[in-house]
Structure formats: structure tokens, C-alpha cells
Amino acid sequence: MTKPFLPPVKEYKKIIEGIFERGVLTNQGPCLQEFEEKIKAYLNVEHFQFLCNGTVALQLALSALGITEGEVITTPFSYVATTSSILWERCEPVFVDVEPDNFTIDAAKIEKAVTPRTKAIMAVHVFGYACDVGEIQAIAVRHNLKVVYDGAHAFGVEYLGNSLLSYGDITTVSFHATKLFHTGEGGGCIIKDSGVAARMELQKRFGHQYDDHRMLGINGKTSELNAAMGLANFPYINEIIADRQRVSVLYDKLLPEWLQRPKSQTELEYNYAYYPVVFRSEEQLLRVFDALKKEEIFPRRYFYPSLNTLPYIQYQPCPVSEDISNRIACLPLYVGLEEATIEKIADTITGNYE
Ligand SMILES: *Cc1c(COP(=O)(O)O)cnc(C)c1O
């Protein structure tokens, strides 16, 4: 379904040579600092912490906001890390069902799920589509809740004239190799408040400054080698997004009308991170998968299963998410994907209407 983008190896080597000359491999090295500065400028945000992955970013987001117990309202339609990070932080996920047309949390249903124990809302800009950030902010103000967005899919998305990653108290990103922009492994937090940013800076380094142990921390740091990959990829962001747009536009043209697609959002400048399609039934999805497998083409069931059905949590019904999870898939989408492959995928889907 995806293939990591790789910069010209010469350009990566040049940055690595600098690392070898300096002999600094981690702990706030110059590559990391340069990378953090570049990201802040690109996103036009004040505070950004580069972290070891997008999962630790979610956990540190809750922790840095002081959320160590209670309920966190979240979406069942995401990658498992969204839910697991809440559990690791000793909080309880409370699931609110999603919008049928773009799969983000249904903001109109959030308020009914608020209880005296609710501490935060953790929503996901799933596939890079924007949550109802205005309504979520209004609910958070009314009930004194923190807002964390999992923006693992939203790097490069603009919404209402700003980076989509600039909304909420904290937005997390993932720079995993399978994501649109990557550092091999990596992630980070965009943080609104400078005090919270300082807290996370300490928490990602075990919570201590020399021998002064101030708070519970973790190792959330990233190495210079990962920062170097980020620096090497950075100049290609626009090219990456443009080529993914080429693939998406071709899918738009070739895929049949009956295949459900997310509703387009007028205020959003998309990053073409994913190409989700909703089949008419799970049987149809499985038949298309079988046919594509014979051609060595492998779409993914993203996201399946719906997270409210995970075996290690109490089941809370979310009929929209469960229905979509059973029928949705992401088609192959990466830089350099050939037109012939896209045509084959479109033909296979078109030929499996029944
Ligand atoms: C990839 C992903 C994560 C986790 O990021 P990692 O960097 O792999 O830890 C979290 N949430 C969502 C929605 C993701 O897709």
C-alpha cells in the first residue's frame, strides 16, 4: 500500500558525514535542533518537540497536560496507538462515534459523553481530514477539558489558513517510514503553551535535569541519525505531496461512481496522505482484495477493526465506525506509483460491482 520516500543517498550521506565528524549521536545534537527549527518554520508554530515516535508523542501529550487519570473522549476510527496511549497513561477511553462522510469524531455527539470525570478530548484528523476544530474547542471551553489531536496523518494539511497541526492544546505527529513525511522512526508534538512545552522537554529526558529529579519521565528522545533523515527529506515535501496528488487525481478519474469516497472539505488544502474508499459490503471488499492479490497488489484495511471492539477494553457500541471499518480500505499511494498499476486497480474494482 505504501513505500517510503527516499531522498538521494548522496544528500543523506553528506549530513551523516557531519555527524561522524562531530561524534554527537543524540541528546539535543545539532541535526535535531536544526530539524526542530525547520519544522517550526514550516508549520508556523512556536513550540515543537521532536520525539522518538508518534505513539510516545500521544502519551507525552496527555502526561505533559497533567492528565494522569479519568476519562478521555476519543474516536474509535483510528490506528490502535490512539487508544493504547490513553490506556498506558492510566486513563479510560470513552468512544464517541464518527461522522459517516469523513470518518472524524462526530462533534455533535461529544457533549453527551462528558461526565464529571472527563479530562480531555483526543480526536484524530484521520487520513488528514480535519475534525470540527471549532466545535471541539467550544465544548472544551464549556467543560474545562484539554484537547489533543492525533495529527499522525495531517502533516502538510492547511485548514482555514493555518497548518491543521496548529489547533488544540497539543497536536501529535508521526514521522514513521510509512507516513507521508518521515524520519525512519520519529514523531513529535506541536504545543500551544510554553509551560507545557518546557514540561515535555523535561519529561522526554527522563524527567530530570542532572541530579534534580523533578517529575516522572520517559526516554522520548530521537537520535541524530533520525534527524538527519528528516533533514534530507525536508526539501522534498512539496514534491512528495505533488506526486501523491497526481496518483489521487488519477484514481478520481478512473474509479467507478458507486465507490464511496470521503466528502471533500472546502476549507482544507489536502496532503494526499491516503486514498480511502468505502465498498458497498465487506464481501465486496474481500473479493477485490483477492483479485488484486493475484496481481501482487496489496491495499490495506485501514482502519480495521473499529477500536471500540478491541479485546482488552469494555465494549462501547459505535455503529457508524463499526460499519465503516468493515467496508473501508486504503488503496496503494506513494511517490512514483505507476499509472499502469493504478489502472489495474481501478479496472479490478470496476469489474467487481456485485
Ligand atoms: C502511525 C500512527 C500513530 C503512531 O505513530 P508511530 O510513529 O508509528 O508510533 C498514531 N496514530 C495514528 C493515527 C497513526 O496512523
Side-chain angles (χ1 to χ4, degrees):
M1 175 198 131
T2 190
K3 207 180 202 175
F5 174 83
L6 285 169
V9 68
K10 255 201 214 147
E11 295 171 22
Y12 184 57
K13 271 189 185 157
K14 203 168 149 231
I15 303 169
I16 295 293
E17 274 165 14
I19 294 175
F20 272 65
E21 279 161 26
R22 288 187 295 272
V24 175
L25 295 185
T26 185
N27 285 3
Q28 290 303 108
C31 287
L32 177 135
Q33 287 180 35
E34 186 185 343
F35 183 70
E36 285 189 341
E37 290 308 316
K38 285 211 153 110
I39 294 294
K40 279 193 272 188
Y42 175 74
L43 299 175
N44 193 22
V45 296
E46 211 168 327
H47 304 291
F48 172 71
Q49 288 285 331
F50 186 28
L51 301 166
C52 54
N53 59 59
T55 306
V56 164
L58 286 165
Q59 290 183 223
L60 276 176
L62 290 174
S63 181
L65 290 168
I67 297 160
T68 56
E69 49 95 35
E71 295 172 358
V72 176
I73 291 175
T74 190
T75 170
F77 190 74
S78 182
Y79 184 58
V80 68
T82 312
T83 299
S84 68
S85 63
I86 295 170
L87 295 168
W88 275 102
E89 294 304 312
R90 302 179 297 271
C91 297
E92 294 157 52
V94 172
F95 292 102
V96 165
D97 212 345
V98 298
E99 305 242 17
D101 56 5
N102 70 2
F103 326 130
T104 55
I105 195 165
D106 190 340
K109 292 183 180 152
I110 290 177
E111 208 145 23
K112 271 189 250 132
V114 174
T115 76
R117 301 191 61 236
T118 308
K119 297 281 156 51
I121 300 167
M122 186 184 273
V124 181
H125 300 304
V126 69
F127 303 134
Y129 304 120
C131 295
D132 189 344
V133 291
E135 182 58 24
I136 289 172
Q137 180 61 26
I139 295 166
V141 168
R142 277 203 290 278
H143 299 277
N144 194 23
L145 307 175
K146 301 292 185 195
V147 178
V148 175
Y149 287 110
D150 179 339
H153 304 164
F155 192 80
V157 175
E158 295 281 314
Y159 189 62
L160 299 166
N162 302 306
S163 165
L164 182 54
L165 304 177
S166 64
Y167 295 87
D169 292 293
I170 295 184
T171 297
T172 67
V173 281
S174 167
F175 298 137
H176 185 257
T178 56
K179 305 296 203 269
L180 169 134
F181 174 74
H182 75 88
T183 59
E185 287 275 1
C189 284
I190 291 95
I191 306 157
K192 197 142 284 165
D193 180 78
S194 60
V196 175
R199 207 176 139 85
M200 191 182 293
E201 166 92 47
L202 199 60
Q203 284 187 310
K204 80 168 178 183
R205 294 190 273 120
F206 307 97
H208 72 95
Q209 184 85 319
Y210 303 108
D211 290 338
D212 182 12
H213 289 263
R214 295 191 201 159
M215 60 184 78
L216 179 68
I218 196 169
N219 184 357
K221 294 182 276 89
T222 329
S223 82
E224 286 288 278
L225 301 165
N226 293 100
M229 181 56 89
L231 289 174
N233 279 334
F234 191 81
Y236 295 95
I237 295 176
N238 290 342
E239 260 174 65
I240 291 169
I241 293 175
D243 199 58
R244 302 179 77 101
Q245 180 177 22
R246 168 192 68 86
V247 173
S248 303
V249 167
L250 207 53
Y251 274 132
D252 287 344
K253 202 175 89 183
L254 298 175
L255 286 169
E257 288 273 318
W258 52 261
L259 195 63
Q260 189 196 328
R261 288 274 298 137
K263 197 172 148 204
S264 57
Q265 297 181 304
T266 46
E267 307 289 353
L268 184 123
E269 216 175 297
Y270 192 48
N271 62 356
Y272 305 94
Y274 295 88
Y275 198 95
V277 295
V278 184
F279 290 92
R280 298 183 325 135
S281 66
E282 187 172 25
E283 294 71 44
Q284 185 188 39
L285 176 149
L286 294 173
R287 227 175 318 106
V288 168
F289 270 46
D290 264 348
L292 289 174
K293 202 162 134 191
K294 293 191 187 103
E295 311 271 2
E296 306 231 311
I297 295 169
F298 303 98
R300 279 281 309 268
R301 296 192 73 173
Y302 255 25
F303 286 100
Y304 175 84
S306 185
L307 297 172
N308 59 313
T309 68
L310 286 171
Y312 42 84
I313 54 171
Q314 179 86 40
Y315 174 70
Q316 304 164 37
C318 293
V320 179
S321 176
E322 288 169 48
D323 172 50
I324 287 167
S325 283
N326 284 335
R327 298 187 289 126
I328 197 166
C330 283
L331 301 182
L333 176 53
Y334 49 85
V335 172
L337 179 60
E338 284 169 15
E339 198 164 327
T341 310
I342 300 167
E343 282 167 3
K344 217 181 271 177
I345 293 165
D347 287 348
T348 306
I349 292 173
T350 305
N352 276 279
Y353 175 72
E354 281 315 316

